Amino acid sequence: MASRIAAFALAWTLALSGMALAGQAQDTLKTSVDEVLRVLSASKPGSPGRAEALYKAVSSVFDPEELARRTLATNWDAFKPEERERFTKAFLKLLERTYLRRIEAYTDEKVLFLGEAPLADGRVEVSTKIVTSTKEVPIVYRLIHKADWKVYDVVIEGVSLVQNYRNQFSQILAKETPAQLIARVETMGNAS
């Protein structure tokens, strides 16, 4: 009888902790998106400090190592620890250059949060939609819970950021070394 009570208590505790986490991923993401929208509405493109404020708002919710690791997939193991670190920094700089410039182009668009769905291994997807005067763009954020919720992939109109880069980098790594790939990514991230 005592073991049944203990098992029930454990199951109840796990259920409650799961319920406590439900919605937290969306809340975390919404906080970051709200800050991005605040920065965009409070300043004009090219304003001093705007790019840094946008980077801070976006980077607070992304997991750089998880993004890099998932982008390289099985190739991650072929990288030495210092190559992993260098790749992660170069890849983030590339993403910053590519995607923050796109974010800066937004003006009066609205972001709708459509809900959160659980995935395997404590991961979730948060579905959103950017609504403009002429179209709606579906964006799904994939998050993982470590110390808190962090984004490890973004799917825009059905195209995964991680999968897109994984395909490109796998083709390069089939012919080149990790050091050569890192040099390419660094060059792309530094391009004007």
Side-chain angles (χ1 to χ4, degrees):
M1 181 70 161
S3 63
R4 283 187 182 165
I5 292 173
F8 177 77
L10 177 62
W12 183 251
T13 301
L14 291 174
L16 286 178
S17 67
M19 289 189 316
L21 289 177
Q24 286 184 358
Q26 182 171 301
D27 293 344
T28 298
L29 183 62
K30 187 173 184 327
T31 299
S32 177
V33 168
D34 287 348
E35 179 59 17
V36 166
L37 295 174
R38 187 198 66 73
V39 170
L40 290 173
S41 65
S43 59
K44 294 181 181 180
S47 298
R50 185 178 202 224
E52 294 81 12
L54 286 172
Y55 178 76
K56 184 178 177 184
V58 170
S59 66
S60 69
V61 76
F62 280 82
D63 184 328
E65 186 174 318
E66 193 72 27
L67 264 168
R69 187 181 64 75
R70 287 177 182 269
T71 298
L72 290 176
T74 57
N75 290 308
W76 181 257
D77 293 334
F79 281 54
K80 297 174 190 161
E82 59 274 5
E83 289 174 324
R84 291 175 184 172
E85 185 177 328
R86 192 171 151 213
F87 174 80
T88 299
K89 287 179 183 175
F91 185 53
L92 285 180
K93 186 158 186 164
L94 172 62
L95 293 177
E96 175 187 343
R97 184 184 73 75
T98 306
Y99 293 98
L100 283 184
R101 287 184 183 174
R102 288 187 185 171
I103 289 172
E104 284 199 89
Y106 289 118
T107 52
D108 295 329
E109 288 80 2
K110 293 181 183 177
V111 179
L112 303 177
F113 285 82
L114 307 175
E116 181 178 308
L119 300 172
D121 303 326
R123 297 173 295 122
V124 299
E125 284 186 343
V126 176
S127 297
T128 67
K129 183 171 26 177
I130 295 177
V131 180
T132 71
S133 59
T134 58
K135 65 179 180 174
E136 296 181 352
V137 180
I139 301 177
V140 176
Y141 295 88
R142 294 180 176 152
L143 295 92
I144 189 167
H145 192 266
K146 293 181 179 177
D148 51 6
W149 287 104
K150 295 288 185 180
V151 173
Y152 69 86
D153 193 11
V154 180
V155 181
I156 302 171
E157 293 184 301
V159 178
S160 161
L161 174 128
V162 165
Q163 187 64 47
N164 184 37
Y165 279 110
R166 182 184 299 156
N167 293 339
Q168 293 175 47
F169 295 160
S170 289
Q171 290 175 1
I172 293 168
L173 287 169
K175 299 174 186 173
E176 298 181 16
T177 67
Q180 290 171 312
L181 172 66
I182 293 166
R184 280 180 178 238
V185 174
E186 286 172 340
T187 299
M188 291 187 295
N190 290 326
S192 300

